[in-house]
Amino acid sequence: MLMALQARRCAGLAVLALLLLPFGDGGGAMARSHETRTSAPAGPTGPTDPEVASFVKLMNAHRRSLGLSPLAWDRRAAAVAREHSRDMFERDYFSHTSPNGRTMRDRLEARGINYSEAGENIAWGQETGRAVLTAWLRSPGHRHNIERRGYTLHGVGKVGPYWTHVFIRPKDASRSAPLAGYH
């Protein structure tokens, strides 16, 4: 049990990033063009958890410092993120894929989110918004998601020590802007 907890903490500190590849479901890049029921972004209400609100403020300040637009809060993406964090917490796992095989793509589709690109960061063990942002910025894959020019909307969910950050670009968003690379 102690070894499993230590391994889990290490996995949480290492933090995982997921972007579904544009040409399939292999790991490492992004999801593209998934048609679902609706494309209207959710209202602009922001996070209610103070640590999530702190993370969002710091993350958008980081994006602005690079000349990128801040990400707009999407309550549907936040619900997907919160539900995934809750699922990991309640079922005691740490992965982009749930024990029953549901992926970020499945979770977005279930919420009726229409996107051309999507990504997800997960973390375990960071207590504050600043700590999770620092961890994600130290990881090339997570940093890539946070700094990706193509994403315009996002939502964050934190349940216990589990964080999930979902990024989307709505299906109807302009595709003229170049995509940010790894930094």
Side-chain angles (χ1 to χ4, degrees):
M1 175 75 173
L2 180 59
M3 288 182 56
L5 182 59
Q6 289 172 333
R8 189 165 149 200
R9 174 159 296 282
C10 289
L13 293 175
V15 196
L16 300 175
L18 168 75
L19 294 157
L20 297 175
L21 286 174
F23 304 109
D25 286 336
M30 68 186 151
R32 288 190 185 266
S33 294
H34 188 68
E35 195 67 47
T36 57
R37 295 181 292 274
T38 182
S39 63
T45 60
T48 57
D49 179 295
E51 286 306 325
V52 171
S54 170
F55 166 78
V56 168
K57 182 178 178 180
L58 293 166
M59 184 271 310
N60 274 328
H62 172 76
R63 286 180 57 89
R64 278 189 214 87
S65 77
L66 299 174
L68 299 169
S69 297
L71 297 176
W73 186 259
D74 184 285
R75 65 178 148 71
R76 298 166 312 150
V80 168
R82 210 171 23 261
E83 288 167 7
H84 187 55
S85 290
R86 178 173 283 108
D87 189 50
M88 290 190 292
F89 178 77
E90 290 175 354
R91 296 185 354 171
D92 194 30
Y93 72 96
F94 181 70
S95 176
H96 293 284
T97 304
S98 69
N100 62 350
R102 282 180 50 116
T103 65
M104 175 195 65
R105 182 179 296 205
D106 299 324
R107 293 185 291 272
L108 291 170
E109 181 178 342
R111 278 281 177 171
I113 298 174
N114 184 20
Y115 63 88
S116 60
E117 298 177 37
E120 177 180 80
N121 286 349
I122 63 173
W124 181 84
Q126 291 77 13
E127 294 182 18
T128 66
R130 184 175 301 280
V132 77
L133 179 63
T134 298
W136 280 336
L137 291 177
R138 288 181 178 158
S139 162
H142 294 95
R143 178 181 282 268
H144 180 71
N145 278 344
I146 289 168
E147 297 176 354
R148 188 172 185 80
R149 189 175 307 273
Y151 296 139
T152 57
L153 303 175
H154 75 129
V156 181
K158 180 182 183 299
V159 177
Y162 294 89
W163 292 78
T164 304
H165 190 184
V166 172
F167 307 83
I168 59 174
R169 177 185 189 92
K171 187 89 168 150
D172 57 357
S174 168
R175 304 203 46 86
S176 62
L179 301 176
Y182 289 93
H183 297 281

